[in-house]
Amino acid sequence: LVAKAQEDYVLLQKEKEQKGFLAPIGQGALIFDEVKVTSKVHWHARSNRIVGLALSPADMSELHDIYDTLNTSVPTQRTTYVLQFLWRCLTSQFDVIGPYYTSSTSFSHKFLMSCVFATMHSFHLYDFKVAVLIGDGASSDLTSFKHLCGYKGAFLPTDHEHYIQPWFVNPYSGEKTHILICPSHQLKNMVAALYSSRKNGTKNFTNHGVNFGWKAIEDLYDRELQRAKFNVPVRVPRLKKRYVLRDAWTRLNVAPSKIMQQQHVLAELKEHLSKLQDENMDDETNSNESLSVQTTLGYLSALNLLFENGLLSHMPVKSSGDTLFATMATGMQFFIAWYNEAIATGNINHAVVKLIIKNTAALLCRTKLN
């Protein structure tokens, strides 16, 4: 497949040159993701219902290596996880579907790294250079990234500047290969963390003495229901009930996370905050709600700068001085201030520490492009 893709890529380069355009230079991003194989279940995402069962193994010949009936005399196990690779050109819209690897258990970081290097070598042989390596940054991925960048077992961030070196030398080309945690996965992690800070949740976010979390979103949804009930235009048109209640299937989708840090949600929270501040602030309940909404708004606004107007903005980057990096750095200030507050109060186990570590993608705002 990679060999055939190289032939198509060469033709694309010649076509671009003949039309007077710059030819693609063969620099790309190698994207990988580990997925769990769930067979025999058909799930309808819109209705949140199971609608049927999958075909039998005999009817799925294209997935023969995954669903094949095993010979009990052979010491092998059915595939449970698949690691898929894709190479995406950075100077054109050319993609190459790379190899995939199967496993009966979740991938360890050692096996994951061996798969990464084997795939990089395969692409290198056909002149597909890997400038960026992209993964979801969870468990084995993050451990592998630490190993590759020289931070084995390190507790990130490593110093007061919140700076790391997110690259390693490609052993096949001798050039730098940068590490990037998938922005979509990062955004889902950050919104999921906010969701966990709710009544009976696993987290209890406190920033400068103010408790905040998902309640502001739940209250926003209640206000939207009241607007709809009285035929008043809603403020967040695409907001859905399952985006707020968030079952396991909703958390896999990036759309419910993206909407939470987009302008409709931010504008509604700002409007509600303004009303609270105009009311009697001597009321302790009113004052506490106002501070909570304000801090939640700050959290989501920071995500907006980091993702909607940063990593997920599709803005071209030509130098380290581009406004994109300044925008992301501004968003990062909320989390840096929160981290410093946790240090100052001695609450080092505060959940914000984990958030800062997980938000590795945002640290790229301090990385030089060269």
Side-chain angles (χ1 to χ4, degrees), residues 183-192 214 217 236 238-239 243 246 250-266 300-301 303-305 307-314:
S184 295
H185 281 84
Q186 284 287 60
L187 176 57
K188 288 195 294 184
N189 289 340
M190 300 297 283
V191 174
W214 200 250
I217 301 299
V236 189
R238 295 188 295 117
L239 185 63
Y243 290 4
R246 294 180 62 84
T250 300
R251 298 178 203 180
L252 294 175
N253 192 350
V254 70
S257 297
K258 289 189 70 173
I259 196 174
M260 294 303 169
Q261 45 90 59
Q262 291 176 338
Q263 284 302 321
H264 285 108
V265 169
L266 300 182
L300 295 175
S301 297
L303 296 187
N304 176 272
L305 294 173
F307 296 100
E308 186 72 11
N309 291 298
L311 291 167
L312 298 177
S313 65
H314 301 289

Side-chain angles (χ1 to χ4, degrees), residues 54-89:
L55 299 175
S56 66
D59 295 327
M60 304 183 71
S61 57
E62 69 275 15
L63 297 177
H64 176 79
D65 57 332
I66 295 178
Y67 290 103
D68 189 20
T69 302
L70 300 177
N71 184 347
T72 56
S73 64
V74 180
T76 57
Q77 292 180 299
R78 185 182 295 274
T79 292
T80 305
Y81 291 88
V82 175
L83 182 67
Q84 177 68 61
F85 285 86
L86 181 142
W87 184 88
R88 174 160 293 173
C89 182

